[in-house]
Amino acid sequence: MLMPILQVNSEEIPSFAIVCGDPGRAKLIADKLEDTRELAFSREYRTFTGKYNGTELAVVSHGVGSPGAAVCFEELIRAGVTTLIRVGTAGSYSSETPAGSLIVSTAAVRAEGLTHQLVPHGYPAVADHDVSQALYEEAVAGGGTVKRGITVTMDVFFAGALEIPHSQYKQAGVLAVEMEIAALYVIASLRGVRAGAIVALDGYADADLAAEYDPHTDVVALAVEREIEAALRAVHKLAGAAV
């Protein structure tokens, strides 16, 4: 069956998928696989399949923001994906996690609009425990600063007339802000599949800590490399546990 937005056939999609915002990052991840094939590049959605140490998986980009990403998640699930892992970037709320650190998101504050049209107000956005644990273990094994905890998903990146409430979330113990994880977790829960997420911090979102934003530094690139490797190893571990 053809997925109309991703433009891939469901028969070609394995049960594990790594998703990311940037089509270029999807290519970077896919280059680490064996028997890699690019299935489609439709809008922001770039889809590859391949094998990591014998484990089959898809790698798919979903663009920026929850609505477009949700389309990707829904179609992958309809194609038969049962485990999704987001590999992304985020803005830090703490000096303990500077740029170059990794955070495994155990849950997400739903500060975006999409999930409020899918589920009631109090519905949680929570990672699958096994996926989250595998990501954390593999990230720690890869070295560097690694934390796990709550992230917040927002729609806004640049401020307008209203202040972005970063300070409130920081005071509440939220570790970082990004734009898609809440949608991933809610959709996964609704559809009965597993999901987790790991993000590389590319700067500070908190105004008290923020300097000039530059996500294209060597420090961030190395963190992205570490999170990719952690996600691939986590997929392999989870696949082995399922056998």
Side-chain angles (χ1 to χ4, degrees), residues 74-93:
E74 292 278 14
E75 288 206 346
L76 286 175
I77 293 167
R78 292 182 185 190
V81 171
T82 56
T83 302
L84 297 102
I85 293 176
R86 169 161 151 70
V87 173
T89 54
S92 175
Y93 281 154

Side-chain angles (χ1 to χ4, degrees), residues 55 80 90 122 128:
T55 299
D128 176 85

Side-chain angles (χ1 to χ4, degrees), residues 43-62:
R43 301 187 184 188
E44 64 264 49
Y45 309 110
R46 191 175 190 182
T47 304
F48 299 87
T49 58
K51 295 179 181 179
Y52 180 79
N53 289 340
T55 299
E56 291 188 64
L57 70 150
V59 180
V60 188
S61 62
H62 55 63

